[in-house]
PDB file of all heavy atoms in Angstrom:
ATOM      1  N   THR A   1       0.833  -1.194  -0.044  1.00 96.00           N
ATOM      2  CA  THR A   1       0.022   0.006  -0.032  1.00 96.00           C
ATOM      3  C   THR A   1       0.869   1.249   0.003  1.00 96.00           C
ATOM      4  O   THR A   1       1.680   1.418   0.918  1.00 96.00           O
ATOM      5  CB  THR A   1      -0.896   0.019   1.254  1.00 96.00           C
ATOM      6  OG1 THR A   1      -1.817  -1.166   1.197  1.00 96.00           O
ATOM      7  CG2 THR A   1      -1.786   1.299   1.209  1.00 96.00           C
ATOM      8  N   LEU A   2       0.789   2.066  -1.044  1.00 98.00           N
ATOM      9  CA  LEU A   2       1.590   3.266  -1.167  1.00 98.00           C
ATOM     10  C   LEU A   2       0.689   4.481  -0.732  1.00 98.00           C
ATOM     11  O   LEU A   2      -0.513   4.573  -1.131  1.00 98.00           O
ATOM     12  CB  LEU A   2       1.938   3.438  -2.555  1.00 98.00           C
ATOM     13  CG  LEU A   2       2.982   2.419  -3.134  1.00 98.00           C
ATOM     14  CD1 LEU A   2       3.180   2.602  -4.611  1.00 98.00           C
ATOM     15  CD2 LEU A   2       4.277   2.521  -2.504  1.00 98.00           C
ATOM     16  N   VAL A   3       1.210   5.271   0.171  1.00 98.00           N
ATOM     17  CA  VAL A   3       0.484   6.367   0.789  1.00 98.00           C
ATOM     18  C   VAL A   3       1.143   7.694   0.630  1.00 98.00           C
ATOM     19  O   VAL A   3       2.413   7.810   0.909  1.00 98.00           O
ATOM     20  CB  VAL A   3       0.160   6.036   2.287  1.00 98.00           C
ATOM     21  CG1 VAL A   3      -0.834   7.114   2.802  1.00 98.00           C
ATOM     22  CG2 VAL A   3      -0.291   4.721   2.483  1.00 98.00           C
ATOM     23  N   LEU A   4       0.442   8.754   0.216  1.00 98.00           N
ATOM     24  CA  LEU A   4       0.961  10.167   0.312  1.00 98.00           C
ATOM     25  C   LEU A   4       0.162  10.811   1.391  1.00 98.00           C
ATOM     26  O   LEU A   4      -1.001  11.049   1.187  1.00 98.00           O
ATOM     27  CB  LEU A   4       0.876  10.848  -1.068  1.00 98.00           C
ATOM     28  CG  LEU A   4       1.156  12.301  -1.034  1.00 98.00           C
ATOM     29  CD1 LEU A   4       2.719  12.496  -0.884  1.00 98.00           C
ATOM     30  CD2 LEU A   4       0.743  13.051  -2.283  1.00 98.00           C
ATOM     31  N   GLN A   5       0.811  11.262   2.463  1.00 98.00           N
ATOM     32  CA  GLN A   5       0.170  11.898   3.513  1.00 98.00           C
ATOM     33  C   GLN A   5       0.343  13.410   3.384  1.00 98.00           C
ATOM     34  O   GLN A   5       1.492  13.899   3.361  1.00 98.00           O
ATOM     35  CB  GLN A   5       0.672  11.469   4.894  1.00 98.00           C
ATOM     36  CG  GLN A   5       0.397  10.021   5.220  1.00 98.00           C
ATOM     37  CD  GLN A   5       0.882   9.595   6.617  1.00 98.00           C
ATOM     38  OE1 GLN A   5       1.647  10.321   7.186  1.00 98.00           O
ATOM     39  NE2 GLN A   5       0.433   8.485   7.078  1.00 98.00           N
ATOM     40  N   SER A   6      -0.725  14.152   3.235  1.00 97.00           N
ATOM     41  CA  SER A   6      -0.691  15.600   3.282  1.00 97.00           C
ATOM     42  C   SER A   6      -1.041  16.103   4.717  1.00 97.00           C
ATOM     43  O   SER A   6      -0.941  15.407   5.655  1.00 97.00           O
ATOM     44  CB  SER A   6      -1.665  16.153   2.251  1.00 97.00           C
ATOM     45  OG  SER A   6      -1.461  17.487   2.082  1.00 97.00           O
ATOM     46  N   ASP A   7      -1.388  17.394   4.783  1.00 96.00           N
ATOM     47  CA  ASP A   7      -1.533  17.985   6.184  1.00 96.00           C
ATOM     48  C   ASP A   7      -2.647  17.366   6.968  1.00 96.00           C
ATOM     49  O   ASP A   7      -2.609  17.075   8.133  1.00 96.00           O
ATOM     50  CB  ASP A   7      -1.830  19.471   6.030  1.00 96.00           C
ATOM     51  CG  ASP A   7      -0.602  20.226   5.549  1.00 96.00           C
ATOM     52  OD1 ASP A   7       0.540  19.711   5.780  1.00 96.00           O
ATOM     53  OD2 ASP A   7      -0.752  21.314   5.035  1.00 96.00           O
ATOM     54  N   PHE A   8      -3.793  17.017   6.217  1.00 97.00           N
ATOM     55  CA  PHE A   8      -5.015  16.582   6.921  1.00 97.00           C
ATOM     56  C   PHE A   8      -5.521  15.245   6.378  1.00 97.00           C
ATOM     57  O   PHE A   8      -6.154  14.510   7.035  1.00 97.00           O
ATOM     58  CB  PHE A   8      -6.171  17.628   6.796  1.00 97.00           C
ATOM     59  CG  PHE A   8      -5.738  18.950   7.316  1.00 97.00           C
ATOM     60  CD1 PHE A   8      -5.371  20.015   6.439  1.00 97.00           C
ATOM     61  CD2 PHE A   8      -5.698  19.248   8.675  1.00 97.00           C
ATOM     62  CE1 PHE A   8      -5.089  21.234   6.872  1.00 97.00           C
ATOM     63  CE2 PHE A   8      -5.326  20.503   9.152  1.00 97.00           C
ATOM     64  CZ  PHE A   8      -4.980  21.466   8.240  1.00 97.00           C
ATOM     65  N   HIS A   9      -5.193  14.993   5.076  1.00 98.00           N
ATOM     66  CA  HIS A   9      -5.693  13.821   4.426  1.00 98.00           C
ATOM     67  C   HIS A   9      -4.630  13.005   3.704  1.00 98.00           C
ATOM     68  O   HIS A   9      -3.443  13.485   3.783  1.00 98.00           O
ATOM     69  CB  HIS A   9      -6.785  14.117   3.425  1.00 98.00           C
ATOM     70  CG  HIS A   9      -8.056  14.725   4.059  1.00 98.00           C
ATOM     71  ND1 HIS A   9      -8.075  16.098   4.361  1.00 98.00           N
ATOM     72  CD2 HIS A   9      -9.213  14.251   4.557  1.00 98.00           C
ATOM     73  CE1 HIS A   9      -9.185  16.405   4.978  1.00 98.00           C
ATOM     74  NE2 HIS A   9      -9.942  15.254   5.005  1.00 98.00           N
ATOM     75  N   GLU A  10      -4.944  11.897   3.189  1.00 98.00           N
ATOM     76  CA  GLU A  10      -3.926  11.099   2.449  1.00 98.00           C
ATOM     77  C   GLU A  10      -4.603  10.484   1.181  1.00 98.00           C
ATOM     78  O   GLU A  10      -5.775  10.325   1.120  1.00 98.00           O
ATOM     79  CB  GLU A  10      -3.383   9.978   3.354  1.00 98.00           C
ATOM     80  CG  GLU A  10      -4.357   8.935   3.824  1.00 98.00           C
ATOM     81  CD  GLU A  10      -3.732   7.963   4.874  1.00 98.00           C
ATOM     82  OE1 GLU A  10      -2.797   8.418   5.559  1.00 98.00           O
ATOM     83  OE2 GLU A  10      -4.251   6.880   4.991  1.00 98.00           O
ATOM     84  N   VAL A  11      -3.718  10.196   0.202  1.00 98.00           N
ATOM     85  CA  VAL A  11      -4.088   9.503  -0.971  1.00 98.00           C
ATOM     86  C   VAL A  11      -3.308   8.222  -1.064  1.00 98.00           C
ATOM     87  O   VAL A  11      -2.088   8.198  -0.769  1.00 98.00           O
ATOM     88  CB  VAL A  11      -3.898  10.376  -2.259  1.00 98.00           C
ATOM     89  CG1 VAL A  11      -4.290   9.561  -3.518  1.00 98.00           C
ATOM     90  CG2 VAL A  11      -4.567  11.642  -2.165  1.00 98.00           C
ATOM     91  N   PHE A  12      -3.918   7.038  -1.443  1.00 98.00           N
ATOM     92  CA  PHE A  12      -3.219   5.849  -1.411  1.00 98.00           C
ATOM     93  C   PHE A  12      -3.712   4.853  -2.470  1.00 98.00           C
ATOM     94  O   PHE A  12      -4.889   5.076  -3.002  1.00 98.00           O
ATOM     95  CB  PHE A  12      -3.278   5.148   0.005  1.00 98.00           C
ATOM     96  CG  PHE A  12      -4.637   4.810   0.474  1.00 98.00           C
ATOM     97  CD1 PHE A  12      -5.179   3.543   0.290  1.00 98.00           C
ATOM     98  CD2 PHE A  12      -5.418   5.730   1.156  1.00 98.00           C
ATOM     99  CE1 PHE A  12      -6.473   3.222   0.812  1.00 98.00           C
ATOM    100  CE2 PHE A  12      -6.717   5.419   1.609  1.00 98.00           C
ATOM    101  CZ  PHE A  12      -7.212   4.131   1.405  1.00 98.00           C
ATOM    102  N   THR A  13      -2.861   3.882  -2.702  1.00 98.00           N
ATOM    103  CA  THR A  13      -3.229   2.885  -3.660  1.00 98.00           C
ATOM    104  C   THR A  13      -2.528   1.603  -3.305  1.00 98.00           C
ATOM    105  O   THR A  13      -1.587   1.575  -2.530  1.00 98.00           O
ATOM    106  CB  THR A  13      -2.854   3.206  -5.163  1.00 98.00           C
ATOM    107  OG1 THR A  13      -3.528   2.354  -6.004  1.00 98.00           O
ATOM    108  CG2 THR A  13      -1.364   3.195  -5.321  1.00 98.00           C
ATOM    109  N   TYR A  14      -2.955   0.477  -3.879  1.00 96.00           N
ATOM    110  CA  TYR A  14      -2.403  -0.838  -3.616  1.00 96.00           C
ATOM    111  C   TYR A  14      -1.788  -1.351  -4.855  1.00 96.00           C
ATOM    112  O   TYR A  14      -2.400  -1.297  -5.939  1.00 96.00           O
ATOM    113  CB  TYR A  14      -3.525  -1.820  -3.140  1.00 96.00           C
ATOM    114  CG  TYR A  14      -2.884  -3.215  -2.841  1.00 96.00           C
ATOM    115  CD1 TYR A  14      -2.404  -3.484  -1.571  1.00 96.00           C
ATOM    116  CD2 TYR A  14      -2.957  -4.239  -3.785  1.00 96.00           C
ATOM    117  CE1 TYR A  14      -1.937  -4.803  -1.254  1.00 96.00           C
ATOM    118  CE2 TYR A  14      -2.450  -5.533  -3.480  1.00 96.00           C
ATOM    119  CZ  TYR A  14      -1.977  -5.795  -2.171  1.00 96.00           C
ATOM    120  OH  TYR A  14      -1.434  -7.059  -1.988  1.00 96.00           O
ATOM    121  N   VAL A  15      -0.585  -1.831  -4.779  1.00 96.00           N
ATOM    122  CA  VAL A  15       0.148  -2.419  -5.950  1.00 96.00           C
ATOM    123  C   VAL A  15       0.748  -3.781  -5.566  1.00 96.00           C
ATOM    124  O   VAL A  15       0.967  -4.085  -4.441  1.00 96.00           O
ATOM    125  CB  VAL A  15       1.327  -1.441  -6.400  1.00 96.00           C
ATOM    126  CG1 VAL A  15       0.765  -0.135  -6.921  1.00 96.00           C
ATOM    127  CG2 VAL A  15       2.339  -1.312  -5.338  1.00 96.00           C
ATOM    128  N   HIS A  16       0.891  -4.595  -6.591  1.00 95.00           N
ATOM    129  CA  HIS A  16       1.469  -5.954  -6.347  1.00 95.00           C
ATOM    130  C   HIS A  16       2.936  -5.795  -6.145  1.00 95.00           C
ATOM    131  O   HIS A  16       3.649  -5.029  -6.821  1.00 95.00           O
ATOM    132  CB  HIS A  16       1.103  -6.854  -7.524  1.00 95.00           C
ATOM    133  CG  HIS A  16      -0.431  -7.072  -7.606  1.00 95.00           C
ATOM    134  ND1 HIS A  16      -1.064  -7.852  -6.696  1.00 95.00           N
ATOM    135  CD2 HIS A  16      -1.316  -6.664  -8.420  1.00 95.00           C
ATOM    136  CE1 HIS A  16      -2.303  -7.955  -6.984  1.00 95.00           C
ATOM    137  NE2 HIS A  16      -2.501  -7.202  -8.094  1.00 95.00           N
ATOM    138  N   GLY A  17       3.465  -6.767  -5.306  1.00 95.00           N
ATOM    139  CA  GLY A  17       4.922  -6.829  -5.102  1.00 95.00           C
ATOM    140  C   GLY A  17       5.323  -5.914  -3.876  1.00 95.00           C
ATOM    141  O   GLY A  17       4.658  -5.170  -3.332  1.00 95.00           O
ATOM    142  N   THR A  18       6.624  -6.282  -3.490  1.00 93.00           N
ATOM    143  CA  THR A  18       7.180  -5.461  -2.406  1.00 93.00           C
ATOM    144  C   THR A  18       8.420  -4.823  -2.885  1.00 93.00           C
ATOM    145  O   THR A  18       8.779  -5.026  -4.083  1.00 93.00           O
ATOM    146  CB  THR A  18       7.531  -6.434  -1.152  1.00 93.00           C
ATOM    147  OG1 THR A  18       8.355  -7.477  -1.642  1.00 93.00           O
ATOM    148  CG2 THR A  18       6.295  -6.995  -0.603  1.00 93.00           C
ATOM    149  N   LYS A  19       9.129  -4.029  -2.113  1.00 93.00           N
ATOM    150  CA  LYS A  19      10.255  -3.237  -2.533  1.00 93.00           C
ATOM    151  C   LYS A  19       9.950  -2.319  -3.603  1.00 93.00           C
ATOM    152  O   LYS A  19      10.772  -1.952  -4.429  1.00 93.00           O
ATOM    153  CB  LYS A  19      11.411  -4.143  -2.902  1.00 93.00           C
ATOM    154  CG  LYS A  19      11.789  -5.276  -1.850  1.00 93.00           C
ATOM    155  CD  LYS A  19      12.157  -4.601  -0.535  1.00 93.00           C
ATOM    156  CE  LYS A  19      12.554  -5.781   0.496  1.00 93.00           C
ATOM    157  NZ  LYS A  19      12.807  -5.202   1.801  1.00 93.00           N
ATOM    158  N   VAL A  20       8.644  -1.855  -3.646  1.00 95.00           N
ATOM    159  CA  VAL A  20       8.229  -0.964  -4.651  1.00 95.00           C
ATOM    160  C   VAL A  20       8.881   0.432  -4.447  1.00 95.00           C
ATOM    161  O   VAL A  20       8.875   0.898  -3.183  1.00 95.00           O
ATOM    162  CB  VAL A  20       6.692  -0.826  -4.747  1.00 95.00           C
ATOM    163  CG1 VAL A  20       6.207   0.162  -5.754  1.00 95.00           C
ATOM    164  CG2 VAL A  20       6.102  -2.192  -4.992  1.00 95.00           C
ATOM    165  N   SER A  21       9.324   1.121  -5.404  1.00 95.00           N
ATOM    166  CA  SER A  21       9.908   2.499  -5.188  1.00 95.00           C
ATOM    167  C   SER A  21       8.836   3.392  -4.617  1.00 95.00           C
ATOM    168  O   SER A  21       7.711   3.418  -5.051  1.00 95.00           O
ATOM    169  CB  SER A  21      10.361   3.023  -6.552  1.00 95.00           C
ATOM    170  OG  SER A  21      10.773   4.391  -6.436  1.00 95.00           O
ATOM    171  N   LEU A  22       9.302   4.155  -3.660  1.00 96.00           N
ATOM    172  CA  LEU A  22       8.485   5.257  -3.119  1.00 96.00           C
ATOM    173  C   LEU A  22       8.097   6.373  -4.072  1.00 96.00           C
ATOM    174  O   LEU A  22       7.170   7.115  -3.869  1.00 96.00           O
ATOM    175  CB  LEU A  22       9.132   5.897  -1.879  1.00 96.00           C
ATOM    176  CG  LEU A  22       9.136   4.993  -0.580  1.00 96.00           C
ATOM    177  CD1 LEU A  22      10.189   5.555   0.369  1.00 96.00           C
ATOM    178  CD2 LEU A  22       7.811   4.983  -0.011  1.00 96.00           C
ATOM    179  N   ASP A  23       8.783   6.354  -5.209  1.00 95.00           N
ATOM    180  CA  ASP A  23       8.465   7.404  -6.256  1.00 95.00           C
ATOM    181  C   ASP A  23       7.255   6.888  -7.085  1.00 95.00           C
ATOM    182  O   ASP A  23       6.823   7.645  -7.888  1.00 95.00           O
ATOM    183  CB  ASP A  23       9.697   7.522  -7.213  1.00 95.00           C
ATOM    184  CG  ASP A  23      10.817   8.143  -6.513  1.00 95.00           C
ATOM    185  OD1 ASP A  23      10.558   9.023  -5.563  1.00 95.00           O
ATOM    186  OD2 ASP A  23      11.984   7.937  -6.906  1.00 95.00           O
ATOM    187  N   ALA A  24       6.783   5.689  -6.928  1.00 97.00           N
ATOM    188  CA  ALA A  24       5.671   5.174  -7.806  1.00 97.00           C
ATOM    189  C   ALA A  24       4.462   5.893  -7.661  1.00 97.00           C
ATOM    190  O   ALA A  24       3.726   6.259  -8.602  1.00 97.00           O
ATOM    191  CB  ALA A  24       5.483   3.655  -7.493  1.00 97.00           C
TER     192      ALA A  24
END
């Protein structure tokens, strides 16, 4: 699960595999 946390909320998605780049 990749997450971008902003000041009050967050946006996230699920991708297959581990060691996924944080830039994805």
Side-chain angles (χ1 to χ4, degrees):
T1 299
L2 296 171
V3 188
L4 174 71
Q5 294 182 348
S6 190
D7 290 337
F8 306 101
H9 297 85
E10 63 188 23
V11 182
F12 60 96
T13 193
Y14 180 86
V15 296
H16 294 289
T18 56
K19 308 302 180 184
V20 179
S21 171
L22 284 165
D23 294 330

